[in-house]
Amino acid sequence: MPIKVLHIDSNHPILWEQLQEAGFENHADFTSTKEEIEAKIQDYQGIVIRSRFKIDKQFIDKAINLKFIARVGAGLESIDCDYALSKGIELIAAPEGNRNAVAEHTLGMILSLFNKLNLADSEIRSGQWNRESNRGHELDGKTVGIIGYGNMGKAFAKKLRGFDVTVLCYDIKDNVGDENAKQVSLKELQEKTDVLSLHIPWTPETDKMVDAKFINAFKKPIWIINTSRGKNIVTADLVAAMESGKVLGAGLDVLEYEKLSFETLFQDKNTPEAFQYLLDGRKVILTPHIAGWTFESHERLAQVIVDKIKAVYL
């Protein structure tokens, strides 16, 4: 009997096509509620999802025949991983699929902040020609500190090879440094860093990790780039650090206030005071969780997922 796979989110068509060619039986449901999906999930051995809803204990208990959950993305935080694994369910993600996109986006944010590209562009469009106030900084000669040296961190460090910079990395795993970044202690990274780039998952250990105490432990004023997860930074503490000059600028592709689905920004209609500061800030670049979302990564993510599913079941 073919393995029946339920696609809960839309993805690049090669995912569907190649699974079908390999003998899997595809079904799609992009509109039903979580409860409606739960009512029929016992009929499926596989799920392909992006971030439409959380796959929790209740969902997994309904999925009595599930063999795998494939998330077309880098992280698995929308899944109760421990419980799924306890049920013998294979978990598949695709950080290899969008690591290059994240790396390029991160570098673009740094260069835009340093050279005030967004600000200068908006001023010219409004009739202002301000050269001195838009004097920029050069990346050469700086120390870039990367926290989280997995797929994303390594890809970003590779992009920095064309610059005359020192690249340091910190990770909870030992011996992950390479020719592109020297692995150091968190203390050393905080002593030497000019530009901090976060490439960490959202876990209980990283939740609200970048708070006032963490930021103030840096010896020098820093720029902060976050293309990982919004809840890794306490926004109010980031804003306070920007007001004091401890943080010189921020490039944020992710925000503390995002919903888990990443499709909308706020849980309610109120704009938090700290976020309003970011909206009004002249030293801030904001993007809507798109660092890993390019035309190329859209296809590459799907291909990685297909290849991993086939490697396990064929």
Side-chain angles (χ1 to χ4, degrees), residues 166-229:
T166 299
V167 184
L168 306 176
C169 68
Y170 169 76
D171 196 281
I172 59 173
K173 294 182 179 179
D174 295 327
N175 303 314
V176 298
D178 56 21
E179 68 275 11
N180 298 321
K182 177 186 177 183
Q183 186 169 8
V184 297
S185 67
L186 179 59
K187 183 176 184 293
E188 182 175 347
L189 184 140
Q190 290 174 318
E191 287 175 351
K192 297 179 178 179
T193 289
D194 297 294
V195 181
L196 173 66
S197 188
L198 301 178
H199 298 279
I200 49 180
W202 180 43
T203 68
E205 292 72 32
T206 63
D207 183 55
K208 299 180 176 60
M209 183 182 81
V210 182
D211 58 9
K213 180 180 180 181
F214 185 92
I215 294 170
N216 289 329
F218 284 82
K219 183 177 181 180
K220 297 184 281 187
I222 58 172
W223 283 265
I224 291 181
I225 310 295
N226 188 13
T227 55
S228 59
R229 290 294 184 261

Side-chain angles (χ1 to χ4, degrees), residues 11-270:
N11 287 291
H12 194 282
I14 66 168
L15 199 160
W16 182 287
E17 292 166 1
Q18 292 188 22
L19 285 180
Q20 183 171 292
E21 290 170 1
F24 293 81
E25 183 180 322
N26 291 310
H27 296 257
D29 190 337
F30 305 153
T31 59
S32 292
T33 65
K34 178 174 178 284
E35 291 72 23
E36 289 169 337
I37 298 290
E38 286 175 351
K40 63 180 180 181
I41 196 59
Q42 74 275 2
D43 296 332
Y44 295 92
Q45 291 79 50
I47 298 174
V48 176
I49 190 170
R50 285 193 286 119
S51 301
R52 188 148 69 89
F53 52 70
K54 184 173 177 59
I55 296 183
D56 53 18
K57 182 178 183 294
Q58 176 179 305
F59 187 98
I60 293 168
D61 281 340
K62 302 281 188 180
I64 57 175
N65 294 307
L66 202 60
K67 296 179 181 293
F68 71 85
I69 302 170
R71 177 167 184 265
V72 187
L76 293 167
E77 64 268 28
S78 62
I79 301 167
D80 188 332
C81 295
D82 290 340
Y83 193 66
L85 291 171
S86 76
K87 295 291 186 178
I89 298 171
E90 184 90 14
L91 300 178
I92 301 170
E96 307 91 338
N98 61 359
R99 59 189 175 190
N100 184 70
V102 171
E104 291 191 7
H105 193 98
T106 303
L107 181 57
M109 279 189 147
I110 293 172
L111 296 177
S112 293
L113 279 172
F114 271 38
N115 294 286
K116 303 183 180 180
L117 300 184
N118 292 36
L119 178 61
D121 177 79
S122 65
E123 287 182 352
I124 288 178
R125 292 175 189 276
S126 64
Q128 303 175 63
W129 187 264
N130 301 321
R131 296 187 70 234
E132 184 56 37
S133 64
N134 284 308
R135 187 190 292 265
H137 297 270
E138 295 179 18
L139 185 54
D140 275 18
K142 304 294 192 297
T143 295
V144 179
I146 300 172
I147 296 184
Y149 205 60
N151 278 283
M152 309 302 169
K154 288 179 182 291
F156 172 53
K158 185 177 179 181
K159 298 298 178 189
L160 293 170
R161 290 194 302 192
F163 295 87
D164 184 14
V165 294
T166 299
V167 184
L168 306 176
C169 68
Y170 169 76
D171 196 281
I172 59 173
K173 294 182 179 179
D174 295 327
N175 303 314
V176 298
D178 56 21
E179 68 275 11
N180 298 321
K182 177 186 177 183
Q183 186 169 8
V184 297
S185 67
L186 179 59
K187 183 176 184 293
E188 182 175 347
L189 184 140
Q190 290 174 318
E191 287 175 351
K192 297 179 178 179
T193 289
D194 297 294
V195 181
L196 173 66
S197 188
L198 301 178
H199 298 279
I200 49 180
W202 180 43
T203 68
E205 292 72 32
T206 63
D207 183 55
K208 299 180 176 60
M209 183 182 81
V210 182
D211 58 9
K213 180 180 180 181
F214 185 92
I215 294 170
N216 289 329
F218 284 82
K219 183 177 181 180
K220 297 184 281 187
I222 58 172
W223 283 265
I224 291 181
I225 310 295
N226 188 13
T227 55
S228 59
R229 290 294 184 261
K231 295 185 187 298
N232 293 333
I233 293 180
V234 179
T235 310
D237 290 356
L238 172 63
V239 166
M242 295 186 73
E243 290 177 323
S244 72
K246 186 66 178 182
V247 172
L248 301 171
L252 306 174
D253 180 54
V254 289
L255 293 165
E256 182 180 357
Y257 316 105
E258 287 178 63
K259 287 187 176 181
L260 187 62
S261 70
F262 311 144
E263 299 298 327
T264 56
L265 183 58
F266 298 120
Q267 299 289 351
D268 53 44
K269 295 182 180 180
N270 298 319

